[in-house]
Amino acid sequence: MFLTYLRRELRRRRRQAIVVALGLALGIGLTVTVTALSSGVQSAQQSVLHSLYGVGTDISVTQQADRGSGGPQRFDVQRQRGSDQNRKSFSTDRVTAGIGLQSFGAATVAKIAKQPHVSAAAGGLSLTDVKVNGKFAQQQGQEGQGGPGRGGFGSGGSGGNPGAAPSQPPINVDTFSIEGVDLSAPGVGPLSSVDVSTGRSFTAADAKAKVAVLASGFAKQRGLTKGKTLTISGTKFTVVGVVSGGGQSTDVYLPLAAAQSLADQAGKVTTIYVKATSASAVDAARAEVKKVLPKATVTSSADLAGAVSGSLSGAASLAGNLGRWLAVVVLVAAFVTAALFTVSAVSRRVREFGTLKALGWRTRRIVGQVLGEALVQGVLGGVIGIALGFLGTYLVNRLAPALTATVANGATGGGAGGHGGTGGPGGGRFGGGFARAAQHTVEVHLAASVTIGMVVLAVALAIAGGLIAGGFGGWRAARLRPADALRRVD
Amino acid sequence: MYALTGVTKRFTKGRKEVRALDGVDLSIGDGDWLAIQGPTGHGKTTLLQLLGALDRPTSGSVVFDGDDLAKLSERRLAAVRARSFGFVFQFFNLIPTLTAQENVETALVPLKVSAKARRERAATALADVGLADRSGHLPAELSGGQQQRVAIARALVTEPAVLLADEPTGNLDEDTRDEIIGLLEGLWKDRGLTLITVTHDSTVARRAPRIAWISKGRVSLRKDDRRVQRPRRATRKGTDGEAPPKGDDGATVPKSAGGASPVTDGTTEEETAAE
Ligand SMILES: Nc1ncnc2c1ncn2[C@@H]1O[C@H](COP(=O)(O)OP(=O)(O)O)[C@@H](O)[C@H]1O
Ligand SMILES: [Mg+2]
């Protein structure tokens, strides 16, 4: 009887039932979409952060070189091998360690690894390879005369002063970034976050090999694939794999030892990647690192998240604020509408319910009937809402532009943050802008997805909506006096 | 079966107070057929609601089978309604979305009857009112008389001790009215139930062996020989021009469906005084 009656009533008030269900569906769909969107944004943020120093890494440590000591490398065109001044042309291929970054020794890494709240520490050496070739214009490019650079021909560097007399083209400058990866601590560091597209990532056996893993963007740009050879500063490396999702700040990953020998930096690292014993131990680990290296820049994920800006953080705040509020408003409106509709439907059925009471139906049974009808509407709304949520999420993924995230200077674990402005005339030195873009921008695609949790949330909302509507309706029905059955004329 | 003493029912409409029933004393025996007659708005429905445990009096007691309905819990009242009373309404009050069969079944729902027994009993009840072939129809697909038959089947399917009918013919044309009254009369005779009908229509009331005249919330009837008289006030003020009930010998209601009770005009003041 309960089901027959329920079905018939819903069919009779089909239009109203659909309006109520659609209202709830809209609210639920919006909630699901917004939740999916914000979790998509969150995971995009995560992937940006991870791309900077790996999934397993909680803290990265870098240290600025003392001012004046400069980076370990000087870049001096005139002394480059392979250049031939007489022919008025030059060609160089130099690998430089992160200019402006202090290097740490292996002992420091080991010491940090031993700290009580640190579960693992790995060194990383950030290098930049610069190939320059071209011709000098006559009488130009002399040492002390401004060098070849318009200081900014690194990417986005602001440090280099324009040379006094710019050399004439063509000068080809080609730079890419190299990360020496410590293979003894596989869970930490830049490669811990990558997805292998082809080939493989490094294994411990690669520690002394001349092998390279390439970022997919770089591999594509250079037409390099697995098995091909990449020559860096005269050393040949075999490409063993192409990875994506890792540091888009890094083009080439090399085993740490190989990277160190390229830069004549045996045993040295520029970044220490630290993994805390647990998520809650990050702060403690950070304090310990700070004690060991008082002058170092110690950056945790939380710091980094705060430093992420750009359209990604715009999307995050959009999803977080506007979207959430919109969903809440629509949900509340849907709940109120459902409740009002249900109450008014009950009011129109005074005679019907009064009659049932006159027939001996307990109030409880009548309230149950009203609740049942409202719940079915709610569940219907939930089902449509989940479908709308999937649709909305799909549309967001399809239509959302690629988001960019910019991580401010100093926050990147990847070894940016050289001090700019040292490229004065005559020095031929390049500022931090040359080592790495001081601001690091990553493009991410939003991949919002509806999870089981969101479906559960939607179902809960649907049931809540049904219960709220049915509760009000039932409350109204419970207050009906059976006497009204004989009195009320519709 | 029923003993009403000093029953008063007041309604407050805004600041105004309406005395729908004003000190009603009434007793109804097992198996009686009592017609409650009176002009519209004088408390008939209110009285029937109190008799049917649909409402509680403001004061006084409505004792049914030893229980004061005024004092029973809402839960007990629901049980009494389900088990002991059957209702027939002026506007039929069928659930519009349910078929005739299902409408009849709703009365069995509170009695926790198995679905199978419910179906069988409902079908039998429908057959008893001559609607076996209409069981699958919705109320909207039935005529007024047929709808009222369904309502009567619904009222009787629980085999109640009392059948309460509020203007059961009020919404029907004359032929159908006679048909329904004939049906109720037949059921009353066959089943030995107590039948209480409310009507403002004396041609209907006349069919009952006993008539209670209600006017301005006061009931008057001659208890000794079940003769019914018109109360003074109604006569004087001619409240609604209704022909007054007759001092006919109610015990000899003709059993033939077509025949109306003989009518004697001119109920006297003395008769009223005798009350
Ligand atoms: N729920 C109520 N609220 C206020 N007044 C009511 C209510 N029910 C009945 N009344 C009043 O009580 C009086 C008797 O009504 P009722 O019993 O329905 O009369 P009848 O059935 O004889 O036409 C009328 O004046 C009516 O307006
Ligand atoms: Mg009435």
Side-chain angles (χ1 to χ4, degrees), chain B residues 119-131:
Chain B
R119 273 193 297 278
E120 286 167 4
R121 284 175 67 173
T124 310
L126 272 179
D128 289 350
V129 298
L131 282 181

Side-chain angles (χ1 to χ4, degrees), chain A residues 414-436:
Chain A
H419 44 87
T422 54
R429 256 175 68 190
F430 292 86
F434 203 56
R436 184 76 50 91

Side-chain angles (χ1 to χ4, degrees), chain A residues 18-414:
Chain A
I18 288 172
V19 168
V20 169
L22 282 184
L24 287 172
L26 201 64
I28 290 166
L30 209 57
T31 306
V32 168
T33 306
V34 167
T35 313
L37 179 65
S38 71
S39 84
V41 167
Q42 235 162 44
S43 73
Q45 259 175 335
Q46 280 295 308
S47 78
V48 168
L49 301 184
H50 290 159
S51 79
L52 296 170
Y53 56 55
V55 178
T57 308
D58 297 315
I59 297 168
S60 70
V61 186
T62 55
Q63 187 171 333
Q64 307 273 308
D66 294 333
R67 203 175 164 82
S69 76
Q73 297 292 321
R74 287 185 160 245
F75 183 38
D76 186 340
V77 171
Q78 262 65 18
R79 290 193 280 118
Q80 298 315 307
R81 59 186 112 125
S83 71
D84 182 354
Q85 182 121 37
N86 292 333
R87 294 212 307 265
K88 296 192 170 63
S89 69
F90 64 93
S91 168
T92 72
D93 184 352
R94 289 296 303 264
V95 173
T96 59
I99 291 172
L101 284 181
Q102 181 78 51
S103 56
F104 306 111
T108 310
V109 179
K111 193 172 176 188
I112 286 175
K114 284 204 198 77
Q115 298 303 311
H117 291 95
V118 172
S119 79
L125 183 61
S126 298
L127 305 172
T128 305
D129 181 89
V130 184
K131 285 187 169 79
V132 182
N133 57 66
K135 284 184 176 139
F136 287 120
Q138 271 191 330
Q139 300 307 317
Q140 286 188 341
Q142 287 194 1
E143 198 169 3
Q145 283 284 312
R150 313 198 232 306
F153 69 7
S155 46
S158 57
N161 254 356
S167 52
Q168 286 175 357
I171 294 178
N172 299 316
V173 178
D174 173 28
T175 75
F176 57 88
S177 58
I178 299 168
E179 180 78 15
V181 184
D182 188 347
L183 301 181
S184 61
V188 201
L191 274 181
S192 61
S193 65
V194 298
D195 296 320
V196 177
S197 320
T198 56
R200 59 177 179 86
S201 186
F202 289 134
T203 65
D206 294 321
K208 296 208 165 63
K210 294 278 181 276
V211 289
V213 167
L214 306 183
S216 57
F218 178 76
K220 208 176 201 175
Q221 182 198 332
R222 301 295 166 107
L224 289 169
T225 54
K226 186 187 131 196
K228 294 216 171 155
T229 303
L230 172 68
T231 307
I232 305 172
S233 193
T235 310
K236 285 184 157 61
F237 290 89
T238 309
V239 176
V240 294
V242 174
V243 295
S244 63
Q248 289 174 45
S249 54
T250 300
D251 298 318
V252 178
Y253 298 92
L254 299 177
L256 183 58
Q260 286 168 338
S261 80
L262 271 181
D264 291 331
Q265 294 280 308
K268 298 288 187 185
V269 295
T270 50
T271 307
I272 303 173
Y273 300 94
V274 178
K275 181 178 182 149
T277 47
S278 71
S280 55
V282 170
D283 283 342
R286 182 194 168 117
E288 289 161 3
V289 171
K290 200 78 188 162
K291 219 171 199 174
V292 175
L293 297 166
K295 283 199 250 168
T297 306
V298 181
T299 312
S300 67
S301 320
D303 301 331
L304 209 49
V308 172
S309 61
S311 59
L312 177 59
S313 68
S317 66
L318 190 74
N321 301 325
L322 187 76
R324 199 144 293 172
W325 277 113
L326 187 66
V328 165
V329 166
V330 172
L331 259 185
V332 167
F335 281 11
V336 169
T337 311
L340 288 178
F341 267 131
T342 310
V343 168
S344 97
V346 168
S347 301
R348 269 182 275 118
R349 290 163 76 189
V350 165
R351 189 146 72 102
E352 181 173 323
F353 290 143
T355 304
L356 291 173
K357 281 192 177 181
L359 293 177
W361 281 44
R362 300 260 307 270
T363 299
R364 218 170 51 187
R365 188 184 293 279
I366 291 168
V367 170
Q369 201 75 39
V370 172
L371 260 182
E373 291 171 19
L375 265 182
V376 169
Q377 291 174 13
V379 168
L380 191 70
V383 169
I384 302 172
I386 290 169
L388 283 180
F390 273 103
L391 180 72
T393 306
Y394 169 80
L395 288 179
V396 163
N397 284 338
R398 277 293 299 271
L399 303 179
L403 298 171
T404 58
T406 300
V407 180
N409 189 7
T412 53

Side-chain angles (χ1 to χ4, degrees), chain A residues 486-487, chain B residues 39-46 90 166-167 198:
Chain A
L486 290 86
R487 191 89 57 189
Chain B
T40 300
H42 281 229
K44 301 187 296 296
T45 297
T46 305
Q90 176 175 357
D166 190 12
E167 311 265 12
V198 156

Side-chain angles (χ1 to χ4, degrees), chain B:
Chain B
M1 174 140 285
Y2 276 107
L4 283 70
T5 33
V7 172
T8 302
K9 181 70 182 177
R10 292 193 201 92
F11 295 106
T12 32
K13 257 185 191 165
R15 239 167 287 146
K16 247 175 63 190
E17 198 189 60
V18 180
R19 247 190 248 183
L21 290 178
D22 189 8
V24 172
D25 297 313
L26 183 68
S27 68
I28 302 166
D30 218 340
D32 275 2
W33 175 3
L34 174 72
I36 300 169
Q37 193 192 355
T40 300
H42 281 229
K44 301 187 296 296
T45 297
T46 305
L47 179 57
L48 197 75
Q49 283 174 346
L50 295 180
L51 292 172
L54 293 179
D55 212 347
R56 298 168 195 269
T58 309
S59 64
S61 66
V62 181
V63 175
F64 172 75
D65 275 353
D67 289 323
D68 187 352
L69 297 181
K71 294 197 175 80
L72 290 187
S73 70
E74 205 38 60
R75 205 186 145 152
R76 289 281 306 282
L77 284 183
V80 171
R81 277 178 227 139
R83 237 178 294 113
S84 306
F85 301 142
F87 280 97
V88 175
F89 308 95
Q90 176 175 357
F91 298 99
F92 324 133
N93 288 22
L94 298 176
I95 312 293
T97 51
L98 299 180
T99 62
Q101 162 86 19
E102 288 158 352
N103 261 289
V104 175
E105 285 184 35
T106 55
L108 292 169
V109 166
L111 296 186
K112 307 248 168 14
V113 176
S114 78
K116 185 166 172 279
R118 214 168 60 203
R119 273 193 297 278
E120 286 167 4
R121 284 175 67 173
T124 310
L126 272 179
D128 289 350
V129 298
L131 282 181
D133 55 337
R134 296 298 166 98
S135 64
H137 287 233
L138 291 175
E141 298 162 355
L142 299 172
S143 72
Q146 286 170 330
Q147 287 188 52
Q148 197 60 302
R149 282 168 184 270
V150 174
I152 290 168
R154 179 177 65 182
L156 291 174
V157 72
T158 58
E159 291 165 8
V162 184
L163 182 63
L164 301 142
D166 190 12
E167 311 265 12
T169 58
N171 242 27
L172 300 173
D173 59 52
E174 258 176 54
D175 290 347
T176 321
R177 179 187 73 187
D178 292 343
E179 184 189 305
I180 292 296
I181 288 298
L183 175 66
L184 287 174
E185 186 177 359
L187 289 165
W188 169 64
K189 272 184 228 141
D190 296 348
R191 306 199 175 195
L193 44 76
T194 304
L195 177 60
I196 301 170
T197 53
V198 156
T199 183
H200 65 273
D201 181 351
S202 51
T203 50
V204 174
R206 258 182 246 126
R207 302 278 288 270
R210 188 178 173 215
I211 299 175
W213 178 262
I214 190 165
S215 174
K216 299 218 163 160
R218 290 173 172 275
V219 169
S220 43
L221 78 168
R222 218 151 71 184
K223 283 169 194 163
D224 51 0
D225 62 356
R226 291 177 167 181
R227 296 212 178 173
V228 187
Q229 64 278 317
R230 181 170 55 178
R232 244 171 307 190
R233 230 177 286 140
T235 314
R236 262 207 312 267
K237 294 182 183 169
T239 324
D240 70 347
E242 190 67 54
K246 301 305 160 283
D248 164 45
D249 182 3
T252 59
V253 170
K255 309 237 154 164
S256 62
S261 309
V263 173
T264 321
D265 279 323
T267 307
T268 61
E269 297 283 308
E270 294 85 273
E271 277 172 341
T272 308
E275 216 270 327

